[in-house]
Amino acid sequence: MKIIIIGLGNFGSSLAVYLTETGNEVIGVDNKMEKVDRLKDTIAHTVCMDATNEMAYEAVPLKNADIAVIAIGENEGATIIATAIIKKLSKAKIISRSLSAIHDTVLHAMGIEIIVHPEQEFAEALAKKINLKSMINNFELDPYHSISEIKALPEFEGKTLQEIDFRNEYNLNIITIIRKEVKTTLFGTRQSLGKVMGAVNKDTVVIANDVLVVFGANKDIAKFCSME
Amino acid sequence: MKIIIIGLGNFGSSLAVYLTETGNEVIGVDNKMEKVDRLKDTIAHTVCMDATNEMAYEAVPLKNADIAVIAIGENEGATIIATAIIKKLSKAKIISRSLSAIHDTVLHAMGIEIIVHPEQEFAEALAKKINLKSMINNFELDPYHSISEIKALPEFEGKTLQEIDFRNEYNLNIITIIRKEVKTTLFGTRQSLGKVMGAVNKDTVVIANDVLVVFGANKDIAKFCSME
């Protein structure tokens, strides 16, 4: 796909690199020459220009773009104007980064379908992990249900999933197990890597340090996590 | 818990607010008065100070803190120095934001256990969603396995899960189904909200616009998503 990214800060440049590495033709735009320079050998095209100036877009192949991502990170006004210009000039699917609640309101009113909040969404996920100490990772499906990675309780060790009887005991469904492998890094610090076991069944035995991937209601997950 | 957050930009301030809303005592620190002022009625304590000056920490109750988050977003040097000072002065669990690969290396060498990359991690997740067009949301369990939200194919409509026979046909396990409800917003735009069905069984019937939550190998998920 041809993807235009406006704004090459931490978020925009990471996105540009990932999308290039996975086979897309990425065009990166920023008004700071040093940001453009840093990516010029990595992604397909880079353009240094003011994204709030409609005339400047003659240098950008907007017509053929499949997706345009407005990834500007500091300036709400600039983000809104760049979004409006791109909506006018191209048929690309638009993904716009929002920096505040009022910014959300404007983007919604403009009919932008995909609105992203990189730092806020990451902060929310991290806050949840901090609050539920034994929850390692969490994937929210709707406001009431999640898939969570939780540490196995000590009393599970050596038992089969049938013996633990997760569904009846805790009202949670086990999807799979992540088994830890501990490695020592170059710096001498120990890093633990998880390996997914694939589909599990009633005879699968839980061992120490296993991480269980479970699906259930948030309240049941929180209840389980508070038992540690 | 008592949590100290150094750096109140988009990421640090969102984290401070979420953690306060969920019952923690949050102390926020920034060297810009306007950022401190914005949060002073929302979180428990705010301090305007230079986090790279060890003397300044007398104003911060570091000794009693359970967790310290270094959330500075622009300056690698300042982040590293603030992390080192806090590691020296307190026993709090440290979560440090990294801004680059070299920054990662330094934090690893300092023995910091939890290193986060808000914008990069979000960018990686977004790049995956863009690449797999029919994949709506993705939760990676290890480099080879994910849980993904995928759109039901048109031919699934009206069939039961047993008839679709997901496990044998596509090598994927269905965890649950998210059923869409479409609402019109105040601005007249249509917003679709998903509702999780809870546990599903072989007799559950798939309808149009259902989103299936599946677990499997990345290659099998990618294969399914490319069939659309």
Side-chain angles (χ1 to χ4, degrees):
Chain A
M1 279 190 294
K2 283 189 201 295
I3 301 168
I4 293 180
I5 298 177
I6 313 283
L8 299 174
N10 252 340
F11 171 58
S13 62
S14 303
L15 188 64
V17 172
Y18 289 126
L19 287 170
T20 302
E21 280 172 357
T22 48
N24 298 285
E25 188 184 333
V26 176
I27 298 144
V29 174
D30 203 287
N31 63 353
K32 296 212 182 69
M33 200 61 206
E34 80 259 24
K35 292 198 176 162
V36 171
D37 268 346
R38 222 186 326 144
L39 286 180
K40 77 176 191 303
D41 299 325
T42 316
I43 68 175
H45 306 285
T46 50
V47 180
C48 184
M49 64 170 236
D50 174 7
T52 63
N53 175 2
E54 189 173 338
M55 295 304 158
Y57 282 85
E58 282 172 18
V60 182
L62 263 187
K63 283 242 165 80
N64 307 315
D66 300 296
I67 294 175
V69 184
I70 293 95
I72 299 171
E74 302 114 32
N75 187 329
E76 291 173 0
T79 309
I80 291 166
I81 291 171
T83 304
I85 295 173
I86 290 171
K87 205 173 153 69
K88 178 182 163 190
L89 298 180
S90 103
K91 287 194 163 46
K93 188 172 179 179
I94 295 177
I95 300 175
S96 200
R97 176 182 191 171
S98 164
L99 302 169
S100 66
I102 193 79
H103 192 169
D104 270 8
T105 310
V106 176
L107 292 173
H108 271 301
M110 289 169 74
I112 301 303
E113 274 171 67
I114 310 180
I115 300 170
V116 296
H117 313 78
E119 290 159 307
Q120 289 89 327
E121 289 181 37
F122 190 87
E124 189 175 358
L126 183 62
K128 273 186 194 151
K129 279 196 228 178
I130 289 173
N131 284 328
L132 292 167
K133 290 172 222 161
S134 72
M135 186 198 289
I136 303 165
N137 225 334
N138 191 52
F139 178 57
E140 204 160 85
L141 297 174
D142 73 0
Y144 310 105
H145 298 82
S146 294
I147 290 167
S148 287
E149 296 179 4
I150 57 179
K151 285 184 199 156
L153 298 177
E155 60 259 39
F156 292 170
E157 241 185 278
K159 285 192 186 155
T160 64
L161 292 183
Q162 185 166 37
E163 284 165 340
I164 298 169
D165 196 13
F166 238 72
R167 202 155 179 170
N168 292 318
E169 278 300 319
Y170 308 105
N171 211 14
L172 297 172
N173 297 288
I174 290 210
I175 299 163
T176 187
I177 291 175
I178 302 177
R179 195 144 281 178
K180 294 282 170 186
E181 289 169 3
V182 177
K183 275 191 180 173
T184 304
T185 67
L186 280 175
F187 299 104
T189 46
R190 285 157 68 81
Q191 199 171 23
S192 110
L193 296 167
K195 197 163 173 269
V196 170
M197 292 184 67
V200 290
N201 59 44
K202 65 182 175 49
D203 299 320
T204 306
V205 175
V206 174
I207 65 170
N209 297 319
D210 270 359
V211 171
L212 313 174
V213 183
V214 301
F215 160 62
N218 291 346
K219 65 174 173 47
D220 295 317
I221 294 171
K223 200 168 149 195
F224 180 88
C225 290
S226 66
M227 283 190 295
E228 214 193 13
Chain B
M1 281 189 292
K2 281 186 202 297
I3 301 168
I4 293 178
I5 299 178
I6 314 283
L8 300 174
N10 250 341
F11 172 58
S13 63
S14 302
L15 188 64
V17 171
Y18 289 127
L19 287 169
T20 302
E21 280 172 355
T22 48
N24 300 283
E25 187 183 335
V26 176
I27 298 144
V29 174
D30 202 287
N31 64 351
K32 295 210 183 71
M33 200 60 206
E34 82 258 23
K35 292 196 176 165
V36 171
D37 268 346
R38 220 187 326 144
L39 286 178
K40 77 174 193 302
D41 299 326
T42 315
I43 69 176
H45 307 284
T46 50
V47 181
C48 185
M49 64 170 237
D50 174 7
T52 64
N53 175 2
E54 190 174 337
M55 295 305 157
Y57 282 85
E58 282 171 18
V60 183
L62 264 187
K63 283 242 165 79
N64 307 315
D66 300 295
I67 295 174
V69 183
I70 294 93
I72 299 170
E74 302 115 32
N75 187 328
E76 292 173 359
T79 308
I80 291 167
I81 291 171
T83 305
I85 295 173
I86 289 170
K87 204 171 153 70
K88 177 181 162 193
L89 298 179
S90 103
K91 288 195 163 44
K93 186 174 183 178
I94 295 178
I95 300 175
S96 201
R97 176 182 191 170
S98 164
L99 302 170
S100 67
I102 192 79
H103 192 169
D104 269 8
T105 310
V106 176
L107 293 173
H108 271 301
M110 288 168 75
I112 301 302
E113 276 171 66
I114 310 179
I115 300 171
V116 295
H117 314 78
E119 289 158 308
Q120 289 89 328
E121 290 182 37
F122 190 86
E124 190 175 357
L126 183 61
K128 275 187 193 149
K129 278 194 231 178
I130 289 174
N131 284 329
L132 292 166
K133 290 171 224 161
S134 73
M135 187 199 288
I136 301 165
N137 224 335
N138 191 53
F139 179 56
E140 203 161 85
L141 298 173
D142 73 1
Y144 310 105
H145 298 82
S146 293
I147 290 167
S148 286
E149 296 178 6
I150 56 179
K151 284 184 201 158
L153 299 178
E155 60 259 41
F156 292 170
E157 241 185 279
K159 284 191 185 155
T160 65
L161 293 183
Q162 187 168 35
E163 284 165 340
I164 298 168
D165 196 13
F166 239 72
R167 202 156 181 167
N168 291 318
E169 279 299 319
Y170 308 105
N171 210 15
L172 298 172
N173 297 288
I174 289 210
I175 300 163
T176 188
I177 291 174
I178 302 177
R179 196 144 280 178
K180 294 283 171 187
E181 288 170 3
V182 177
K183 274 191 182 176
T184 305
T185 67
L186 280 176
F187 298 106
T189 47
R190 285 157 66 86
Q191 198 170 26
S192 107
L193 296 166
K195 197 161 174 268
V196 170
M197 291 185 67
V200 289
N201 60 45
K202 63 180 174 51
D203 300 320
T204 306
V205 175
V206 175
I207 64 170
N209 296 318
D210 269 359
V211 171
L212 313 174
V213 183
V214 301
F215 160 63
N218 291 345
K219 64 173 173 48
D220 294 318
I221 294 172
K223 201 168 148 195
F224 180 88
C225 288
S226 67
M227 283 189 295
E228 214 193 12

